Amino acid sequence: MSTLRNKVQLIGNLGNNPEIITLDSGKKLAKFSLATNESYKNTEGEKITNTDWHNIIAWGKTAEIIEKYLDKGNEIAIEGKLTSRSYEDKDGNKKYITEVVVNELLMLGNKQ
């Protein structure tokens, strides 16, 4: 069990153009949503597709590659880890968000 760790692998399409933030230090952060699809046939034989949306963030060189090459609709494969954080919205309500922090990125080339 010691070999298991926090690891996520996803293949999907960008749901929006990446938001690129340049920090005061000059380091870049890329944020975008990724849609993954799962298809199956129901009891009537109809094809059903379920789409899940994932919040994705990437730092540094990976963010620079995303800024330069990726747009809404691009198909990519990512590997990373799950992180969770909380913040307060403008009304003072506590919100929670789960994101995938990208370690590896592969551009697959298909647009949907």
Side-chain angles (χ1 to χ4, degrees):
M1 294 295 272
S2 64
T3 59
L4 296 179
R5 61 178 192 204
N6 182 357
K7 184 176 180 180
V8 176
Q9 294 177 324
L10 298 170
I11 296 175
N13 296 86
L14 273 71
N16 57 335
N17 287 327
E19 174 188 355
I20 306 299
I21 300 166
T22 303
L23 304 177
D24 293 339
S25 65
K27 191 173 188 178
K28 290 200 176 187
L29 166 65
K31 300 167 103 177
F32 58 92
S33 62
L34 187 73
T36 57
N37 296 314
E38 180 182 12
S39 298
Y40 63 92
K41 289 193 177 182
N42 65 13
T43 55
E44 288 81 37
E46 300 169 318
K47 182 179 176 183
I48 305 295
T49 301
N50 289 331
T51 301
D52 287 309
W53 291 93
H54 311 275
N55 297 309
I56 311 294
I57 62 171
W59 293 93
K61 291 285 185 194
T62 306
E64 291 173 17
I65 290 167
I66 290 167
E67 177 181 32
K68 191 171 183 180
Y69 296 107
L70 295 182
D71 294 308
K72 179 180 180 177
N74 287 132
E75 185 178 29
I76 63 170
I78 62 162
E79 182 177 294
K81 67 178 183 175
L82 281 179
T83 61
S84 296
R85 62 183 172 87
S86 63
Y87 64 94
E88 284 191 14
D89 67 11
K90 63 183 179 189
D91 299 324
N93 300 315
K94 196 164 191 175
K95 301 284 185 175
Y96 298 90
I97 188 166
T98 299
E99 298 166 316
V100 177
V101 179
V102 176
N103 296 329
E104 302 270 338
L105 169 72
L106 179 63
M107 294 176 270
L108 300 176
N110 294 332
K111 265 195 172 183
Q112 285 190 345

